[in-house]
Amino acid sequence: MLVLLPPSEGKASSGRGAPLKLESLSLPGLNSARAAVLGELGELCAGDQDKAREVLGLSEGLRGEIAKNTELRTAGARPAGEIYTGVLYDALGLASLDTAAKRRAARSLLVFSGLWGAVRVTDRIPSYRCSMGVKLPGLGALGTHWRTAMAPVLPEVAGSGLVLDLRSSAYTAAWKPKGEVGGRTATVRVLHAPTRKVVSHFNKATKGRIVRSLLSSGSAPESPARLIEALRDLGYVVEAEAPAKAGQAWSLDVLVAEIH
């Protein structure tokens, strides 16, 4: 099982340990594309801060975030699972998983990123600010940049099992499972059962809980149909239908009675 996650806008501070080693990151086939973004982002943020703030889509109150991007090669690095914070990652609670579940997380979770493309939760990275929706002056739209780089890399990473895609729309632009991989991909929408509406906060929190439940239980469904069974066994209310055409992802609705 491969679980595709979005990053978080908010991030923990960089650590005091050794700095980034680009060559040590998972998915080494992305390293040249990573180096290009690192260079462009660092140059942007070392220059005109007003321009950098505009390009990165930051409010005046977040101007201090620009400084992070000028120190990406020298700041201390921490496991990505510690860098990413926010609602989904709080609900996932990587640090409190038992040893076996942490091993499954290291194998199964892949976090998409405007800067790194995609990283494992064990990859050591510094704190940064750069969303997938950014258009860097020298590279253009990062979604397009990563789509080209990921096309030959991600199908191999996906292997032959289930792909559980929990990314937000901005990050799906970087790679969309197609063909045979697409047919064993499942996306999840979390709905407030009484209203049948998506509410952002509990949508993220429930997705974090779903991943935690799968990791903690040791469940490793090999297909979308098996995922539906596994989630129901874990107590989730799931509605789903098989896609109409081969190569299309399954769409699952998880119904939640209470917003929390």
Side-chain angles (χ1 to χ4, degrees):
M1 179 175 67
L2 180 68
V3 182
L4 311 182
L5 297 175
S8 58
E9 287 298 321
K11 298 173 183 69
S13 61
S14 294
R16 294 179 176 272
L20 170 73
K21 292 183 179 179
L22 197 63
E23 67 277 9
S24 73
L25 297 182
S26 302
L27 284 62
L30 299 179
N31 278 351
S32 61
R34 289 166 173 156
V37 180
L38 272 169
E40 290 290 339
L41 184 61
E43 182 177 345
L44 170 71
C45 293
D48 186 329
Q49 288 209 348
D50 287 332
K51 179 181 179 181
R53 188 168 64 83
E54 180 181 357
V55 170
L56 296 176
L58 301 177
S59 67
E60 178 62 34
L62 293 174
R63 180 182 288 268
E65 294 285 283
I66 296 170
K68 290 181 179 180
N69 295 338
T70 65
E71 302 172 347
L72 293 170
R73 291 189 178 275
T74 58
R78 298 168 62 181
E82 297 177 11
I83 289 289
Y84 294 117
T85 59
V87 175
L88 188 154
Y89 290 91
D90 285 347
L92 172 52
L94 285 170
S96 62
L97 291 173
D98 63 34
T99 300
K102 286 179 178 176
R103 285 197 295 267
R104 288 189 282 271
R107 293 193 303 266
S108 302
L109 306 187
L110 197 64
V111 184
F112 276 63
S113 162
L115 175 53
W116 313 112
V119 291
R120 302 284 189 186
V121 292
T122 51
D123 285 332
R124 297 181 64 84
I125 59 173
S127 187
Y128 67 96
R129 192 73 179 223
C130 184
S131 69
M132 189 65 78
V134 164
K135 294 182 179 180
L136 290 175
L139 289 179
L142 288 179
T144 302
H145 174 76
W146 286 116
R147 187 159 58 246
T148 301
M150 289 186 178
V153 175
L154 267 292
E156 182 177 351
V157 176
S160 59
L162 170 72
V163 177
L164 175 54
D165 190 351
L166 301 180
R167 296 173 296 168
S168 51
S169 58
Y171 291 88
T172 61
W175 181 61
K176 183 177 181 180
K178 297 178 180 179
E180 188 270 335
V181 180
R184 50 186 166 84
T185 297
T187 63
V188 172
R189 183 174 63 163
V190 181
L191 300 180
H192 183 217
T195 63
R196 311 291 294 194
K197 292 182 179 179
V198 174
V199 180
S200 178
H201 181 279
F202 88 95
N203 174 56
K204 294 176 182 178
T206 302
K207 287 179 177 178
R209 294 186 190 107
I210 285 171
V211 177
R212 183 180 178 88
S213 296
L214 291 169
L215 294 173
S216 297
S217 68
S219 179
E222 297 178 352
S223 68
R226 293 292 188 185
L227 172 65
I228 295 166
E229 294 176 5
L231 291 178
R232 287 172 176 165
D233 288 345
L234 290 167
Y236 293 94
V237 178
V238 182
E239 294 180 354
E241 292 184 2
K245 296 180 181 180
Q248 292 182 334
W250 291 53
S251 297
L252 279 57
D253 286 344
V254 175
L255 306 183
V256 180
E258 298 181 1
I259 299 176
H260 62 289

